Amino acid sequence: MAENSKQVMVVGIDDSDFSTYALEWTLDHLLSPPNTSNFKLVLVYAKPSISASVGFVGPGVAEVLPVVDADLKRTAAKVTGNAKELCMKKSVKDIAVDVVEGDARNVLCDAVEKHQASILVVGSHGYGALKRAVLGSVSDYCSHHAHCTVMIVKKPKPKH
């Protein structure tokens, strides 16, 4: 397949086990040889904004902002580095990484448009109805708003 005719697969990543499981599952089931040449993989990390992370204003906030920003950048570098390392271990080398500030729901849907993705893969935290209603579900939002196929990968619950 020619380089420019590859389909694009966007995978949403964060620092959760659910995200790591979704990426591992994708690499093992959709991008294992010989399928590695069929897709260009775009890993997308939605970096929280400083203002969303701090959540307060007042005296002293100016001193806190650079520390919070540095921490957010370190987290982004760690998450994307771990994801790229996992891809390399699985022999997936055609990878792009986007770190975009904003709400994960909007960032992922925008990435689908930007890269003209044919599939978006997201993990599921497995929240119940009440938590989903309060916190909002990234996977639910993307399944309704992304203009491509959306695959939601759920991590199996441990059996007792």
Side-chain angles (χ1 to χ4, degrees):
M1 207 173 224
E3 183 71 26
N4 59 0
S5 67
K6 283 186 173 185
Q7 294 185 68
V8 176
M9 180 183 298
V10 171
V11 178
I13 58 173
D14 63 23
D15 60 349
S16 71
D17 291 341
F18 304 100
S19 168
T20 302
Y21 179 82
L23 178 58
E24 285 177 349
W25 191 96
T26 301
L27 294 170
D28 290 341
H29 292 86
L30 300 178
L31 294 174
S32 59
N35 297 325
T36 55
S37 62
N38 295 342
F39 288 97
K40 174 181 180 172
L41 182 62
V42 179
L43 304 173
V44 178
Y45 177 76
K47 182 171 98 53
S49 67
I50 298 172
S51 59
S53 298
V54 173
F56 69 89
V57 257
V61 77
E63 291 81 28
V64 173
L65 293 181
V67 175
V68 173
D69 187 44
D71 186 53
L72 292 172
K73 287 178 180 174
R74 262 192 309 276
T75 301
K78 179 182 173 197
V79 169
T80 56
N82 290 344
K84 286 192 292 190
E85 186 178 312
L86 184 59
C87 292
M88 292 299 185
K89 283 182 185 175
K90 302 282 185 171
S91 300
V92 176
K93 294 176 177 46
D94 193 1
I95 308 164
V97 177
D98 282 358
V99 176
V100 181
E101 187 173 298
D103 182 272
R105 294 171 279 219
N106 298 320
V107 166
L108 291 171
C109 288
D110 291 347
V112 164
E113 296 300 313
K114 174 184 171 186
H115 296 285
Q116 298 177 346
S118 56
I119 185 168
L120 169 63
V121 179
V122 292
S124 172
H125 285 248
Y127 294 142
L130 183 59
K131 274 192 178 177
R132 265 197 323 271
V134 172
L135 298 175
S137 167
V138 172
S139 57
D140 184 60
Y141 182 90
C142 291
S143 71
H144 288 91
H145 295 90
H147 295 141
C148 69
T149 299
V150 177
M151 185 171 68
I152 302 167
V153 179
K154 290 179 71 170
K155 184 176 183 179
K157 292 183 180 178
K159 295 179 181 175
H160 297 336

